[in-house]
Amino acid sequence: MRRTPKVLASMLLALSLVLSACGSKQSTEPQSSQQPTTQTQQTTEQQPTQQEPATKEKVTIRLATWAGADESAELQQIIDKINAEATDFQIVHEPAPADYYTKIQTMLAGGTAPDLMWLSQEYVVPYASKGALMDLTDRLKNDSRPTANLDDYFPMVLEHAQYEGRIYGLPWIAQPVIVYYNEQLFDDAGLPYPTDDWTWEEFRELAVKLTDKEKGIYGTSFNGWPPVQMFIWQAGGEVISPDLKSSPIDSPEAVQALDFYASIIYNEEVAPSEATINEQGFGEMFKAGKIAMYFGGAADDLDRVEGLRVGHVKVPKGPKDQTNFAWSASTVVNAKTKYPDQAYEALIALTEGIHHWKIVPPRKSLATKEQVIANEPRKEKAADTIVAAAPEMRAYRIIPRHPEWDTIFWEQLQDPLYHGKGTAAELAKQARAALEEVLP
């Protein structure tokens, strides 16, 4: 995804206003007023010792996701197993594949939001900063189950679920970016397949050699994806500093990465023009055999096209390292859930189940070739590359006003750079001040 839609900014603004109006101060007392309990039974000498305890009623924990029909059916199998084993809750899935975040916002505003919700990486911190999510930190700290062991999560993925040092979600997926390449196009050009130790320069040289504009074949394709942040990280730069106090996008490292990216995007020496991409489709061009090297997520179906021989390799190494971007998402708990204890238990069970379904599980102990294949057998050929990329993956560093930051980053730096309206150094210097105005 190139950038966060502007609608996110307006939704989060609305959320802020709603929570302010309703009072976002949360009690530190356990929210157990509506927690189901077993009826107390009087014990007397005359009471039969074999009497069975009263049946414990299960409470309903609502789960909102953006899952479509097929994904919902697969998820329901996990939920059914959890519900069969749980003694005090049952999860009811409420998928909303269309207008998901608009619906979540509406329900939060109306006080009818589900107990559990999927949030992609750019939403957790903004929602947590408005008091919409339950703080999980202490519960996780006192939980010895593997799913609750935060040390097992890849730290640069877990970061997106943290706000002011507290945990507000559990990541259930982390998709490292890898490069899918068309083996036939390499064979036709008489070129060796890329290897995991390749560099930016070697990648670009291959893209030049593989491009045949007359045939409509291009070495690679950029359109804002893959994210330029990944290249900035690889060069040793940052877009938001670890302390969240600066956006050093005009550093020499960042400018070097921006210049490299600009040398590829829409440059028909190595990649299709913007018009061609708009006409033929971005990912569709790779599936049609017209793109030799395509940056995609580990779970993408780019290697499941009939008649297309696809290889896999790690992203090329930058001047500093081989960091790759990881799309990630977390399951969060509604701060106003009536059943905090059961919602937390459902969260743990659901996260464990999804970690044995989706790729890549964002836990070091599960990011193995065997687990990747078990979760998705169709990724057997790619498994070695995916596992090799996992330790180097990183999600975005998110701030409470991230939608505003992201809009500035696109409109004042990326978009004009990609359309030749200024140099990387000039645009980065101009945009930095505006970006830093929205930092915490």
Side-chain angles (χ1 to χ4, degrees):
M1 184 168 63
R2 281 184 293 178
R3 52 189 172 117
T4 306
K6 290 184 181 179
V7 68
L8 173 57
S10 59
M11 287 194 297
L12 290 173
L13 176 60
L15 175 64
S16 177
L17 295 173
V18 168
L19 291 173
S20 298
C22 296
S24 61
K25 183 177 180 181
Q26 298 179 40
S27 170
T28 57
E29 296 297 320
Q31 302 177 33
S32 56
S33 60
Q34 300 189 48
Q35 181 176 329
T37 57
T38 303
Q39 290 184 339
T40 302
Q41 298 181 14
Q42 295 182 350
T43 56
T44 66
E45 292 181 0
Q46 290 76 24
Q47 186 174 1
T49 57
Q50 69 272 23
Q51 181 175 351
E52 295 182 1
T55 302
K56 196 173 187 179
E57 182 182 356
K58 287 187 174 186
V59 302
T60 295
I61 300 299
R62 297 165 55 213
L63 165 68
T65 79
W66 54 71
D70 293 341
E71 191 174 24
S72 290
E74 294 177 7
L75 178 58
Q76 191 60 47
Q77 295 179 29
I78 296 172
I79 293 173
D80 289 344
K81 182 178 179 181
I82 293 171
N83 288 344
E85 297 174 354
T87 59
D88 59 351
F89 69 83
Q90 62 176 356
I91 300 173
V92 174
H93 184 206
E94 300 177 3
D99 300 320
Y100 176 73
Y101 287 106
T102 300
K103 293 174 181 176
I104 290 295
Q105 173 57 38
T106 299
M107 289 188 288
L108 284 169
T112 60
D115 305 277
L116 303 179
M117 298 169 280
W118 277 3
L119 292 182
S120 59
Q121 59 188 346
E122 68 270 25
Y123 286 82
V124 181
V125 167
Y127 273 51
S129 72
K130 303 303 181 185
L133 309 182
M134 189 170 88
D135 184 346
L136 305 171
T137 311
D138 294 336
R139 292 176 183 269
L140 291 167
K141 190 179 298 183
N142 296 317
D143 193 333
S144 61
R145 288 170 289 186
T147 315
N149 179 12
L150 298 181
D151 291 336
D152 193 29
Y153 287 78
F154 289 102
M156 297 306 290
V157 172
L158 182 64
E159 183 178 301
H160 86 265
Q162 295 175 302
Y163 174 62
E164 295 186 340
R166 310 292 288 181
I167 302 294
Y168 289 90
L170 278 182
W172 53 263
I173 191 171
Q175 283 199 54
V177 170
I178 61 175
V179 175
Y180 295 79
Y181 62 88
N182 185 317
E183 294 178 342
Q184 187 63 55
L185 293 181
F186 273 82
D187 292 345
D188 291 345
L191 295 170
Y193 300 151
T195 57
D196 282 345
D197 60 350
W198 63 335
T199 65
W200 283 3
E201 293 74 19
E202 291 168 333
F203 161 71
R204 198 180 189 288
E205 289 172 4
L206 283 171
V208 171
K209 293 177 181 178
L210 289 159
T211 296
D212 188 336
K213 184 180 175 182
E214 297 303 316
K215 294 182 179 179
I217 303 296
Y218 298 91
T220 191
S221 185
F222 285 14
N223 73 341
W225 175 268
V228 72
Q229 290 95 320
M230 179 176 75
F231 295 89
I232 293 174
W233 299 334
Q234 290 176 355
E238 292 285 352
V239 296
I240 298 176
S241 62
D243 64 3
L244 310 183
K245 300 300 182 184
S246 64
S247 284
I249 58 167
D250 57 350
S251 69
E253 295 83 2
V255 170
Q256 181 182 15
L258 290 165
D259 281 334
F260 177 74
Y261 200 100
S263 77
I264 294 173
I265 188 169
Y266 308 144
N267 177 2
E268 292 186 287
E269 180 186 25
V270 292
S273 66
E274 185 174 22
T276 300
I277 291 173
N278 290 339
E279 178 185 347
Q280 300 186 34
F282 189 53
E284 288 76 7
M285 289 189 70
F286 180 82
K287 293 181 178 181
K290 297 181 178 182
I291 302 295
M293 299 176 290
Y294 186 91
F295 291 71
D300 287 355
D301 64 355
L302 299 163
D303 47 6
R304 298 200 292 272
V305 179
E306 186 176 355
L308 197 66
R309 290 194 295 113
V310 177
H312 313 82
V313 66
K314 289 168 59 177
V315 297
K317 182 180 182 297
K320 180 187 176 185
D321 59 33
Q322 216 160 355
T323 300
N324 65 81
F325 168 70
W327 180 84
S328 188
S330 286
T331 304
V332 300
V333 180
N334 183 350
K336 296 183 181 296
T337 178
K338 296 178 181 179
Y339 310 111
D341 293 337
Q342 292 90 340
Y344 173 77
E345 290 300 316
L347 168 69
I348 294 296
L350 185 66
T351 303
E352 180 67 16
I354 296 177
H355 285 175
H356 289 81
W357 169 42
K358 291 290 188 178
I359 61 170
V360 175
R363 287 157 55 187
K364 302 168 192 173
S365 63
L366 295 179
T368 65
K369 180 178 181 179
E370 294 74 20
Q371 191 65 55
V372 168
I373 296 173
N375 287 12
E376 178 50 272
R378 294 173 296 183
K379 285 292 181 177
E380 183 173 4
K381 183 178 179 181
D384 284 328
T385 299
I386 293 171
V387 171
E392 299 168 305
M393 63 183 173
R394 172 178 173 177
Y396 292 137
R397 179 168 289 136
I398 306 297
I399 59 172
R401 295 172 65 184
H402 204 81
E404 296 170 73
W405 186 97
D406 199 49
T407 297
I408 296 167
F409 189 60
W410 176 262
E411 293 183 349
Q412 296 191 27
L413 176 59
Q414 292 187 80
D415 189 56
L417 177 64
Y418 304 158
H419 292 92
K421 296 180 180 179
T423 68
E426 294 168 346
L427 293 168
K429 184 177 181 179
Q430 294 168 7
R432 178 171 179 168
L435 290 168
E436 293 184 342
E437 286 183 2
V438 300
L439 294 178

